[in-house]
Amino acid sequence: MSKLKLSKNPHKGLKIYCRKCNKDNSNCKHFESQVYRVRIHVPGTQNEVRAKQLESTNYNDAVIEAIAFEKELISNGFIRIGERITENSNAIYRGNDYSLADAVVRYGQFLDGESGFAHLKKNVSAAHKQELLRYCTYFSHNVRKSKDITVFRAKDVSKEEVSSFYLWAEGKYKTKTLKKIMSTLKGFFEFLIDIEEIEMRNPYRNYIIKGPTSSIVETITKSEFEEVLKAVDKDKDQPGGRGIKKHLYGKYLRQAFELFLLTGCRREELVVMKWSDIYETATNIKFIYIDNIKVQRIRNKTNVLRPIPITSQLMDLLIEMGYNEKYMSEDYILCPIRDMSLQSLMDFLSKSFTDYWKSTKNNKECSLKNLRKTYFTWVNRVMGDDTKILSSHSSNEVLKKFYLDPKLSPIIAKGAAEIRIFD
């Protein structure tokens, strides 16, 4: 994002506000977090102001927005839409109340940890945040068909708006996605009620999803996986298709898909996995020890790790990928030479698997995450209740550097010796 600029004699009250520094006209370099903001003094008061973050990234357009905002305040007696005033002794309390458009902006700031309250900081990945805001935007766009969302209050959202959006979403998305969308919007309004303290009833409090809603663990069979690998082998030596990405990264796709299947890793875990993450017990049992990034983010801790037993199948793959030469090095195990961001690499792997899966003409709906489900389904056949330890869905705090918790050692040993995917 380019740096915002003010003129030599800026419009009165117009500032460049950094959402990360929470400061006007900061000299920071957080350009991606900077917006234009206007502050209008309330006549008859000493320090009271009304402020608004502006949508424009062009200075002249921001001035137009600022003037329009001031006119709106004057016409409303400097009381913004829905603002409630409570007199308490000599103080005047002006409670939160936002237009639907402003409410979505506030939710985005909350997800970024910019709520102003340290204990309310939300730890979510960039991808998850984008998904949550995308669903809120879908709802806003649907409401915009009949309302001006810049003045229509979030607290005025009724069953009619919810019903209209549900009909739209139901016709566009399948049950699983529809359930996620409705759950997201319920959480959005819970944020407005619980965090922003807007006095309202959650319009998404009750809803019924039509169709099957039970969670089905869709695994992939050996023959289905082999069909995907055949499609990769057939495609990787032919020109065209994925352009530069295919040329640079296509040769790693087969290994990537096999790694996902044999480790049960999430994308963000696998793309940062290094040869130095491989450890060995006193009894020569090898395993990979990785940060369980998702669980760490949820718990806001850095010591939640996940052990991956190196089975004979996984060792064969690692040897093929250069284990004998690179063991204990700081190189990435998958695709050591890169020229794209981690997020771009993750997206490329996901899209590639989906493309190859579709090319097999299989009627099942599967994506890259189904390889993780397949892995733990097979692990559970061997490990039973101990599967939760290998998936880090427990509170076990183990392993530091080369030290292995003695309680965990036999579990890893059993997994390394007995886990076989598809066998």
Side-chain angles (χ1 to χ4, degrees), residues 236-292:
K236 69 180 181 180
D237 296 325
Q238 296 179 6
R242 293 181 179 80
I244 294 176
K245 285 185 179 180
K246 177 184 173 182
H247 175 71
L248 293 176
Y249 299 92
K251 65 180 181 179
Y252 295 106
L253 285 177
R254 181 187 178 99
Q255 294 174 340
F257 298 160
E258 290 182 297
L259 269 179
F260 279 113
L261 178 70
L262 297 177
T263 62
C265 281
R266 301 181 179 93
R267 297 185 314 169
E268 62 265 34
E269 297 167 345
L270 191 136
V271 297
V272 297
M273 188 186 296
K274 296 182 178 181
W275 293 102
S276 56
D277 294 328
I278 297 177
Y279 298 91
E280 186 174 346
T281 70
T283 55
N284 299 320
I285 301 299
K286 292 183 173 63
F287 60 98
I288 306 173
Y289 212 49
I290 63 171
D291 289 314
N292 193 324

Side-chain angles (χ1 to χ4, degrees), residues 382-400:
V382 174
M383 307 303 295
D385 291 342
D386 288 335
T387 299
K388 65 186 178 187
I389 297 176
L390 299 185
S391 66
S392 284
H393 291 139
S394 68
S395 59
N396 293 303
E397 294 183 5
V398 290
L399 270 158
K400 297 289 184 181

Side-chain angles (χ1 to χ4, degrees), residues 13 17 27 37 111 150 229 233 235 257 294 323 337 348 353 385 393:
Y17 173 69
N27 292 322
R37 182 168 79 160
L111 295 175
T150 63
L229 296 185
D233 292 338
D235 188 47
F257 298 160
K294 181 176 180 180
Y323 173 87
I337 301 175
F348 173 67
F353 184 84
D385 291 342
H393 291 139

Side-chain angles (χ1 to χ4, degrees), residues 176 180 218 353 366-374:
K176 183 178 179 181
K180 287 175 61 178
E218 193 74 81
F353 184 84
C366 287
S367 61
L368 195 61
K369 67 178 65 175
N370 292 90
L371 294 179
R372 175 177 167 82
K373 295 178 181 179
T374 301

Side-chain angles (χ1 to χ4, degrees), residues 66-339:
I67 294 173
F69 175 61
E70 185 172 14
K71 288 181 178 179
E72 176 194 341
L73 290 176
I74 293 173
S75 66
N76 292 328
F78 281 80
I79 299 175
R80 297 201 62 187
I81 289 293
E83 189 172 41
R84 60 185 187 275
I85 304 175
T86 303
E87 293 191 13
N88 182 11
S89 300
N90 296 321
I92 295 181
Y93 169 71
R94 299 182 181 273
N96 286 335
D97 201 354
Y98 305 107
S99 70
L100 182 57
D102 286 340
V104 174
V105 172
R106 294 289 295 182
Y107 189 46
Q109 293 170 348
F110 171 69
L111 295 175
D112 280 335
E114 299 175 5
S115 66
F117 302 100
H119 67 290
L120 298 177
K121 185 175 181 180
K122 192 80 171 177
N123 292 309
V124 298
S125 67
H128 186 46
K129 175 199 167 186
Q130 290 174 2
E131 181 181 61
L132 295 176
L133 292 180
R134 183 166 64 251
Y135 295 154
C136 291
T137 301
Y138 289 165
F139 176 65
S140 298
H141 286 176
N142 190 267
V143 173
R144 194 169 62 182
K145 294 176 182 178
S146 58
K147 305 283 194 312
D148 182 352
I149 62 174
T150 63
V151 296
F152 179 67
R153 298 184 300 178
K155 68 182 298 180
D156 289 335
V157 171
S158 67
K159 295 177 181 178
E160 285 69 28
E161 283 76 36
V162 175
S163 177
S164 174
F165 177 70
Y166 182 90
L167 290 173
W168 173 84
E170 185 184 36
K172 190 174 180 65
Y173 298 101
K174 295 187 177 180
T175 301
K176 183 178 179 181
T177 303
L178 179 60
K179 185 177 181 181
K180 287 175 61 178
I181 292 174
M182 298 297 284
S183 177
T184 294
L185 289 166
K186 181 179 181 180
F188 166 61
F189 281 98
E190 286 175 350
F191 154 76
L192 296 178
I193 295 168
D194 297 335
I195 306 301
E196 291 295 337
E197 298 182 345
I198 295 179
E199 294 180 358
M200 63 179 295
R201 180 181 174 86
N202 193 331
Y204 279 86
R205 182 179 179 183
N206 296 309
Y207 57 84
I208 299 173
I209 301 294
K210 301 173 185 176
T213 59
S214 59
S215 178
I216 300 175
V217 179
E218 193 74 81
T219 60
I220 295 174
T221 66
K222 181 178 182 180
S223 61
E224 289 169 341
F225 186 66
E226 288 176 344
E227 285 299 312
V228 171
L229 296 185
K230 287 179 183 177
V232 173
D233 292 338
K234 180 180 178 181
D235 188 47
K236 69 180 181 180
D237 296 325
Q238 296 179 6
R242 293 181 179 80
I244 294 176
K245 285 185 179 180
K246 177 184 173 182
H247 175 71
L248 293 176
Y249 299 92
K251 65 180 181 179
Y252 295 106
L253 285 177
R254 181 187 178 99
Q255 294 174 340
F257 298 160
E258 290 182 297
L259 269 179
F260 279 113
L261 178 70
L262 297 177
T263 62
C265 281
R266 301 181 179 93
R267 297 185 314 169
E268 62 265 34
E269 297 167 345
L270 191 136
V271 297
V272 297
M273 188 186 296
K274 296 182 178 181
W275 293 102
S276 56
D277 294 328
I278 297 177
Y279 298 91
E280 186 174 346
T281 70
T283 55
N284 299 320
I285 301 299
K286 292 183 173 63
F287 60 98
I288 306 173
Y289 212 49
I290 63 171
D291 289 314
N292 193 324
I293 297 175
K294 181 176 180 180
V295 176
Q296 287 180 352
R297 186 166 56 239
I298 293 172
R299 297 179 184 173
N300 197 25
K301 295 182 178 180
T302 59
N303 61 347
V304 183
L305 307 176
R306 180 168 84 83
I308 304 172
I310 297 182
T311 64
S312 59
Q313 290 174 312
L314 180 54
M315 178 54 77
D316 289 342
L317 176 61
L318 293 174
I319 290 174
E320 177 187 316
M321 298 179 72
Y323 173 87
N324 293 328
E325 298 79 26
K326 297 187 176 183
Y327 174 57
M328 291 305 295
S329 76
E330 290 299 316
D331 287 349
Y332 291 118
I333 293 179
L334 177 69
C335 189
I337 301 175
R338 306 172 180 179
D339 65 354

Side-chain angles (χ1 to χ4, degrees), residues 13-65:
L14 190 59
K15 314 287 184 181
I16 294 177
Y17 173 69
C18 177
R19 292 178 296 187
K20 193 166 186 177
C21 298
N22 194 25
K23 184 178 180 182
D24 285 328
N25 294 342
S26 169
N27 292 322
C28 70
K29 295 183 179 180
H30 305 137
F31 302 139
E32 72 286 350
S33 297
Q34 293 178 357
V35 295
Y36 284 116
R37 182 168 79 160
V38 63
R39 294 165 57 87
I40 308 295
H41 175 254
V42 179
T45 68
Q46 184 174 358
N47 297 314
E48 193 171 349
V49 298
R50 294 289 179 271
K52 181 180 181 181
Q53 292 183 29
L54 308 179
E55 296 182 3
S56 302
T57 55
N58 174 276
Y59 173 76
N60 292 329
D61 292 337
V63 171
I64 294 173
E65 269 194 82

